[in-house]
Amino acid sequence: MALNSSSASATPMNPLDIASHGPVIPVIVIDRVEDALPLAEALLAGGVKVLEVTLRTAAGLPAIEAIARNLPEAVVGVGTVLNADDARRASEAGARFAVSPGYTSEVGGACKGLNLPLLPGVATSSEIMAALADGFSFLKLFPAEAAGGIPLLKAWASPFGQVSFCPTGGISLATAPNYLALPNVRCVGGSWLTPADAVRAGDWARITQLARETHALRKAV
């Protein structure tokens, strides 16, 4: 049985709270629901508390529900939110925040109606302006490396001084510190914490070690 939306929004967060728990949000793709709990436990053991489980597979929603029910210490959210129905189903499953690869007012309005903090994706100045017009100022640059990466974020700092970012896409443990050094970057998103081969093999110790290395990164102040 899915969690109801009221339980999902019982402890509403300011969107910036998503970035307050650590420098990196893991972008998690789960193929088997039975991997959800040991994977989440491995990340928590390494100090990574905020978990973005994507809707790229059929296991995504049940995985979110399993983590939300059994690991309340985790801040589990939903990624790859493309429409209002995605947001509603994820909220009912227990997601505490949502992440979208792009931005539409439909998704923004749905998440506001659900009291579900949204980290909207942007790749252009026009998308930033649309998100700002709807009240969103903490945004995900996606796909970060392909869209322009650090030079683009530096260029946006002047016209969009009120905006902070979570760059995601093509970032690694080696390059994350370069992004975190930027004043307009709050955190980064990355899939390197949960390599597909480690998840398939149930190598949770490897994932915990990757989480420890990632959690040791520091946001420049």
Side-chain angles (χ1 to χ4, degrees):
M1 182 186 299
L3 300 173
N4 61 42
S5 58
S6 62
S7 65
S9 59
T11 54
M13 297 188 296
N14 180 301
L16 284 176
D17 288 345
I18 300 167
S20 69
H21 297 287
V24 180
I25 299 174
V27 179
I28 302 168
V29 179
I30 294 181
D31 293 309
R32 302 175 301 197
V33 177
E34 58 267 29
D35 290 332
L37 287 180
L39 174 57
E41 288 167 345
L43 290 167
L44 285 168
V48 174
K49 182 176 181 179
V50 177
L51 315 177
E52 177 194 335
V53 178
T54 70
L55 295 182
R56 299 177 192 176
T57 67
L61 276 177
I64 289 168
E65 183 173 357
I67 296 169
R69 283 190 178 278
N70 294 284
L71 295 173
E73 63 271 36
V75 181
V76 62
V78 58
T80 326
V81 172
L82 302 179
N83 51 54
D85 190 54
D86 285 345
R88 177 190 59 77
R89 291 183 298 129
S91 179
E92 290 173 351
R96 293 179 59 189
F97 66 93
V99 184
S100 58
Y103 180 70
T104 66
S105 290
E106 178 202 2
V107 169
C111 288
K112 286 182 178 180
L114 293 163
N115 205 14
L116 185 67
L118 173 66
L119 179 59
V122 298
T124 67
S125 296
S126 296
E127 290 171 320
I128 294 175
M129 291 168 66
L132 280 172
D134 287 347
F136 297 95
S137 59
F138 177 39
L139 310 175
K140 170 177 125 172
L141 170 60
F142 179 81
E145 285 285 287
I150 288 173
L152 181 60
L153 288 162
K154 288 181 176 178
W156 277 343
S158 292
F160 301 117
Q162 73 275 52
V163 177
S164 55
F165 295 93
C166 174
T168 304
I171 299 174
S172 67
L173 180 62
T175 60
N178 301 326
Y179 280 91
L180 292 168
L182 299 179
N184 58 348
V185 169
R186 293 271 183 167
C187 60
V188 301
S191 58
W192 75 83
L193 290 87
T194 56
D197 60 337
V199 176
R200 282 194 300 268
D203 190 352
W204 311 126
R206 179 183 170 195
I207 289 173
T208 294
Q209 180 58 36
L210 288 168
R212 286 198 183 105
E213 293 170 359
T214 296
H215 189 63
L217 296 174
R218 289 291 179 264
K219 172 71 184 89
V221 294

